[in-house]
Amino acid sequence: MDIVIPIEEPSGLDIRPEAGVPAPVLLQDEYHDAILIYRGTSTIVARFKGCDITKFGYPNDEALAGHPLYERGLRAYGVFEVKRSSWIEALSHQNRVQFSEADMFSTRHHLVITFHDSMFECVAEGVSFEQHWTPLCEVARQVVTRCFRDETQD
């Protein structure tokens, strides 16, 4: 079922994590938004809209071959989409217990970013990327400040 495909990089952006210390930082709220900030050739901000669920942590690059998606094309230091995702299928099946109408997961994407010491997986409506030429800690500070400022203005 699961088919892992590298995500085509947006025009002019290198979104691959660096192999050394990409230092990923995850910000997520319960209202279906997640932001992942990491180092590549620059600082990358990945924004996941409609993010229903995430996994962040194990395995690292050395244990990646033990992950079920490895045999399907998952590799270290990359950004991927899993087509025909068994995870989305399981979530859809689980959701039908209460919500038998339209399948809310039919438009979702299973996305994966692999790092040196961890990996990130999520099911979301989509992802967009921003590239910044300032240090990761400064970008993270700006993103957090913007998130909390936006929240107080609602």
Side-chain angles (χ1 to χ4, degrees), residues 59-130:
N60 64 10
D61 60 346
E62 294 172 342
L64 192 61
H67 192 283
L69 294 175
Y70 187 82
E71 293 178 4
R72 305 291 187 169
L74 188 66
R75 295 296 178 263
Y77 321 117
V79 182
F80 304 90
E81 180 171 1
V82 181
K83 300 286 189 177
R84 297 177 39 201
S85 168
S86 58
W87 192 21
I88 291 177
E89 180 60 34
L91 292 171
S92 179
H93 179 74
Q94 184 179 25
N95 196 52
R96 283 188 209 122
V97 171
Q98 181 63 33
F99 305 101
S100 59
E101 67 277 357
D103 184 5
M104 69 176 272
F105 293 100
S106 63
T107 60
R108 299 302 200 263
H109 303 271
H110 179 174
L111 304 161
V112 182
I113 303 178
T114 53
F115 301 105
H116 180 72
D117 290 322
S118 63
M119 67 181 279
F120 172 81
E121 286 186 79
C122 75
V123 173
E125 290 175 8
V127 60
S128 62
F129 296 93
E130 300 170 9

Side-chain angles (χ1 to χ4, degrees), residues 23 25 37-39 43 134-144:
V25 175
I37 305 164
Y38 61 92
R39 289 186 192 116
T43 301
T134 52
L136 185 141
C137 61
E138 180 59 32
V139 173
R141 186 178 321 144
Q142 291 170 5
V143 169
V144 168

